[in-house]
Amino acid sequence: MELPQQPPPGQPEGCLTVAIRIPVRIIVLVLVVPVRMIWDVLAAAARALHRTVLRPAGRALKWLGHTLVVVPLAFLGHCLSWLLRTLVVTPLAWLWRWLVVPVWRYGVVAPVVWLYRYVLTPVGHGLAWAAAGVGAGLAWVATGVGAGLARVATGAWVGLAWVGAGLGLGLAWAARGIGMVVSAIGTALVRVGLVLFVVPVEWFYRRVLTPIGHAVAVVAREVAAAFGHAWRIAGHLSRAVGRGLKWLGWQLVGRPVRWVWRTVCAPVLHWVRDTVWAPVKRAAVEAGRVAGAALGAAGRTAREALAAARDTVRQARAETWRALVGGPPREPPPHPARTLGSTTTASGAVPAPEISLHKSEG
């Protein structure tokens, strides 16, 4: 347990602080150590789970989401954008430029401008001239009527002003008297409230609540400090226990497993790799190479056979058509097995006949 920190010289501790510090720290330490150890175990398990399971799973899900969702959606978005631009935007732009704008400009704007310039403007000027004349007449009439009403209102206002001045003076004297009475009553009530409520409440706050608050604050501060010290001590104990368990696990499990792997499993696996797997791999590679060569040769033979069959069918069809319809005979094409100026024949090819078509027909 860490030693309690000494307070500054200018702030001496009270007897209450010294009396409750050690018991509180002991009790809190006993309660916090199991909680801290459980917390450290859970934190280590969570880190291991995140490192071995959640992070690879998150990367796999990210790759799957990008491959199965983002890429198809991006391709679909590009396709839809191209279709929208080709089928909607371009035709609408063409219609707007070559149909809507000319129709609006020459079918609506031009007639409206002509109507405004040659019809509405003259009519508006005429109406404005007529309204100006009528307004001048009404203004002359209103000036005369306003002058009469102003004289009447001036006389009435002077009379009302004299009456209001008298009433206001009387109300001011009455309000002053009422204010003095109310002020005296309020002063008396304030003094009574101060004596009956404020002084007892202040005494109760100063003599009762303030000492209790100081005591509660001291207890709370010491409990919080005890929790901090106990949490740090429990962390040291938890790390020590963890190191001990790690050493014990290595001695009981890790070291024997490593010895078995180095002395038994590794030599056996090396022997299997060198004496079994390597020959099997080489044999499989050779067999695959031979099978590939055989398949290639079979494919070439099948292609040559199919080409010969197609040539035979073509020649037979031509001879049949010539026998039915008639026509000059034609020389057969040179056989692919013979070359000009050479007697060498391809392997597996049938030599071409030496007798011409004329001699055969004769």
Side-chain angles (χ1 to χ4, degrees):
M1 181 179 294
E2 297 180 0
L3 295 176
Q5 298 179 358
Q6 296 296 330
Q11 298 178 359
E13 294 183 345
C15 58
L16 180 62
T17 303
V18 178
I20 68 173
R21 175 173 295 170
I22 302 301
V24 167
R25 290 192 177 185
I26 294 173
I27 295 172
V28 170
L29 180 62
V30 172
L31 295 176
V32 168
V33 168
V35 176
R36 179 58 187 266
M37 296 185 69
I38 295 172
W39 174 264
D40 290 340
V41 171
L42 293 178
R47 286 193 297 269
L49 180 64
H50 179 266
R51 184 173 57 254
T52 58
V53 178
L54 296 181
R55 187 182 298 174
R59 291 175 180 173
L61 291 176
K62 180 182 177 181
W63 180 83
L64 286 176
H66 184 270
T67 304
L68 300 179
V69 178
V70 176
V71 174
L73 287 180
F75 177 75
L76 181 61
H78 288 302
C79 294
L80 292 178
S81 175
W82 180 82
L83 289 176
L84 182 64
R85 185 173 60 253
T86 304
L87 300 179
V88 178
V89 176
T90 302
L92 288 179
W94 186 87
L95 289 176
W96 174 263
R97 179 177 297 178
W98 300 107
L99 183 61
V100 176
V101 172
V103 169
W104 173 260
R105 181 179 297 173
Y106 298 104
V108 177
V109 176
V112 169
V113 170
W114 182 87
L115 179 66
Y116 176 77
R117 181 177 297 174
Y118 296 102
V119 177
L120 296 179
T121 300
V123 172
H125 287 306
L127 293 176
W129 180 78
V134 173
L138 292 176
W140 183 78
V141 174
T143 301
V145 174
L149 293 176
R151 292 184 178 181
V152 174
T154 301
W157 178 254
V158 172
L160 291 175
W162 281 101
V163 174
L167 291 176
L169 186 60
L171 291 175
W173 281 101
R176 184 178 298 176
I178 294 172
M180 293 175 65
V181 174
V182 171
S183 177
I185 295 173
T187 303
L189 290 177
V190 168
R191 290 183 179 180
V192 171
L194 182 64
V195 173
L196 295 179
F197 295 101
V198 177
V199 174
V201 169
E202 183 182 3
W203 178 87
F204 182 75
Y205 175 78
R206 183 179 299 174
R207 301 298 181 182
V208 178
L209 295 180
T210 300
I212 294 175
H214 287 310
V216 171
V218 170
V219 172
R221 184 173 64 250
E222 291 300 326
V223 169
F227 268 104
H229 290 291
W231 187 260
R232 288 190 293 272
I233 294 171
H236 291 296
L237 292 176
S238 177
R239 282 192 290 271
V241 171
R243 294 191 188 98
L245 293 176
K246 181 179 178 181
W247 180 83
L248 185 63
W250 172 253
Q251 297 297 328
L252 296 179
V253 178
R255 190 180 295 275
V257 169
R258 187 180 66 174
W259 181 83
V260 170
W261 173 261
R262 288 183 176 180
T263 58
V264 179
C265 296
V268 170
L269 292 177
H270 290 167
W271 180 83
V272 170
R273 182 191 63 188
D274 297 334
T275 60
V276 179
W277 175 251
V280 170
K281 182 179 179 180
R282 287 195 296 270
V285 171
E286 293 295 332
R289 186 180 296 111
V290 172
L295 290 176
R300 287 193 298 273
T301 304
R303 287 194 296 272
E304 292 177 358
L306 289 175
R310 284 196 298 269
D311 293 339
T312 303
V313 171
R314 190 181 298 109
Q315 292 176 5
R317 187 172 64 246
E319 293 296 334
T320 302
W321 178 259
R322 189 179 300 108
L324 293 175
V325 178
R330 61 179 182 178
E331 292 292 334
H335 200 274
R338 300 293 296 272
T339 58
L340 185 61
S342 176
T343 58
T344 305
T345 59
S347 62
V350 180
E354 299 294 336
I355 302 174
S356 64
L357 186 59
H358 295 286
K359 293 180 180 182
S360 63
E361 288 180 357

